[in-house]
Amino acid sequence: MSPATAIADFVLQRMTSSARTGKEPAVSMKGVAAIWELRVYVAGQTPKSLAALSNLQRICDEHLQARYELEIVDLLQKPEMAALEQIIAIPTVLRSRPLPRKKIAGDLSNTEEVLLSLEIPAQSGEAEDVLRAISSGEVDAFVQQHESAGEIVALQGTEEPYRLLLESMNEGALTLAHDGTILYCNSRFAEIVSARSEELVGCSFQRYIGNEQQERFSTLLGEGAGGSSRGEFTLRAGQTGNIPVQLSFHVVRCAGVPAVSLLVSDISELKRAEDALEQSRREQMRIKDEFLSHVSHELRSPLTAIYQFVSILNDEIAGPLNSDQKEFVQITGRNVRQLHAMIDDLLEITRAETGKLTVEPQWTCIRAAIEEVVNSSAPSAAEKEILLKAELPASLPLVYADPARVRQILTNLVQNAIKFTPAHGHITARAKAGEEHKGFLLLEVEDTGCGLQPEAVEKIFERLYQIATPTEAGRKGLGIGLYICKELVKRQGGKIWVNSEPGRGSCFCFTLPTASLSTLIAPLMPKLRSSSYSAALFTVTASCEAVGAKTSPPEGLCHEVRQVVQRCTLPDLDVLLPKTGGAHKAGRCLIFAVTKPDGAPVLANRLREQLQRWEQNQRTGLVFSVDYTFLELPPSLADADNEELLKVVTHNLEALARLGSSAAEG
Amino acid sequence: MPDKRILVIEDDIDVRRGLGIRLAANHYGVGFAGDASSGLAEVERQRPDLIILDLGLPGEDGYVVLSKLAASGEFAATPVIVLSARDRRANEQRVKEAGAQVFCQKPVDNEELLGRIRELLSPGDRPSRE
């Protein structure tokens, strides 16, 4: 241990013990109220200088009690200063700024002189000397006492090689108090933040952390004070701009008091390399996607020819087949369909990954989609003697979704279910609107198949996921169908998940956003604004001739009316079918239409005709009446903003819908 | 009533032949062309009732055929089914704007294709546009 270290130890011990006893510091010196920070340069270990230090220590203890902090600077490494033999020690006051600059030089074994020098504080610019001294490895101890807590932090006993190491390393190295105050920093850190090190000591490290990262920094600093932690941050470093850094915090204990050592690694280069790597990865992905897309398209042409000739054989256009030939051609056909589906999936996945997987949502009746998928999948279910059915409530809200994409999702789920369900099993496709998923329609495809392991339940929607133990059934497929489903559901604002247990079947569920009146009306706003359009509410009432008006509503009345309305194509007509539950139960269907003023009576007539024709075909025994009212919209609509307009129209419609349904019930 | 005539403009000879057999089996008269310019020449010569058109042709592509048909006046009303391996989402709207009635994605289901042909060739049953 060097003599200077021994002295620092001595001072530390003294100060620590006085801090621990909690002795209330009393300031006896005139004009001094703050904490004193003293710095002592030790020039050689002569008996004289040791005596001077001891004298200084005694005086400080007597006059400043615990209210001072002491640094001892070894000048052995600084010959130009050591050469000034008359300088034994230069006490300075760092804290109370701004203060007049005054340097006292002389033999500090003279008590009067020490007292004088303590009384006349020097300028804060002196901090520069300390840091320079630290930087050049001249310091053995750095002691600081905080006013409130009597905390002492020391950079103590570091041998010169380590100090030099600290200064020459490529990382910023700091010692922070528990609140983030910089107690020490090396020159590399100063360089990173383009500041002078002497400006940094005593500052809060947090000044370099952006507001949005402050909380995370505090957390990590706290964790660092308890052990260690690390994290990436962006340092706001004045002119240099923002610098990405890795901060590593470690607890250090100095004389029993915890502080935090902080290593700051500039990771700009790393980030640049990462960015370049990411860019080249993207480029490669793009090339891969282009290739996949090209290949998939190219595969379609030969597949077209194969399909055509297989179907020509199968349909016996080229002549009759014996039963074996017929069977083999059918097997070929089934595999062609599978290949076709795989090529489609390959294309979809490249689209999903390049963000080109588009959905075109519109107000959609989900009933048709489910029925269509169940019908088109029926033959492959029948091949395995699986009972495939749809369970749909009489009334379903419209959803805002892409009908083609919904069919695609449902087809995928149903085909999967067929694949993993043994012969004579059941598959049910359902749709239900419930409280549980407010604002969404829940669609389910449930099977009585082999079910899924918990691990698979979690990962089954991941790209390229394949069930770990491929069964005979699971052998085929690319492992991207469900990933595509997830991407498609996500892009339509819904969620997808699966409930399943091994051996107990699976239930794949997804949600799609349902139509609310205000979202339905929103697209019509520009037309409502114009005076050449008017809004009308149509009421279609169904009553049964034989039994009287109070009959149960025809199944899917609104669906039928919707179809009818769609056939009544009129120019400049926008139609909405907000079929509220109440209105439907009463055998009523409300239609909101925005037309040219003379369009409403035309639409009403057309509706009557079409419904009559529908009834003639269906023979349900229903009589339809069609009425309409023009909606009174405030004259100031032209000035109203969209939100206001929407409110007015929605309010009107809801009131009318309530009137309509209560009138029918009463 | 004589058979309706369909012109198939398609460069893949196997696809062309397969389509020909299928169409003939459904009692359509079938003519062929393998690229855009001979396709247009065949339109003039054969005066088909309907055209099945591939997009990816050697030299000028199917879009050129569509624009020349639209500009011809005489054949602008001849219904066109585009049958292509190209992406539906990127092309369906575009071919319709260029004058085709239907976009079919290769490989097209026979029933779908024949259904579309029937719809286009019997305008009386088509949903009226008023």
Side-chain angles (χ1 to χ4, degrees), chain A residues 297 300-305 307-309 311-312 315 317 340 351 358-360 402 404-405 569 571 606, chain B residues 12 14-19 21-22 25 83-89 105-111 128 130:
Chain A
H297 280 127
R300 279 177 170 170
S301 287
L303 192 66
T304 305
Y307 168 77
Q308 280 171 349
F309 285 98
S311 67
I312 286 166
D315 295 349
I317 293 170
H340 184 188
R351 288 193 198 108
T358 53
V359 295
E360 285 154 18
D402 183 330
R405 294 305 198 181
T569 346
R606 197 66 61 76
Chain B
D12 184 313
D14 292 339
V15 172
R16 210 156 67 193
R17 187 159 170 222
L19 272 176
I21 296 170
R22 173 65 60 182
L83 176 58
S84 173
R86 291 191 194 172
D87 187 45
R88 173 188 289 278
R89 286 193 178 241
Q105 175 84 72
K106 276 184 189 171
V108 65
D109 181 73
N110 289 322
E111 290 313 310
S128 55
E130 293 160 65

Side-chain angles (χ1 to χ4, degrees), chain A residues 302-350:
Chain A
L303 192 66
T304 305
I306 297 170
Y307 168 77
Q308 280 171 349
F309 285 98
V310 168
S311 67
I312 286 166
L313 290 176
N314 186 51
D315 295 349
E316 303 190 333
I317 293 170
L321 302 176
N322 67 34
S323 65
D324 272 357
Q325 289 167 339
K326 183 94 180 169
E327 190 193 341
F328 301 158
V329 166
Q330 275 168 356
I331 291 171
T332 315
R334 204 164 60 225
N335 282 278
V336 168
R337 280 199 299 278
Q338 229 161 39
L339 197 56
H340 184 188
M342 284 182 192
I343 291 171
D344 284 351
D345 279 357
L346 265 182
L347 274 168
E348 290 290 44
I349 201 167
T350 55

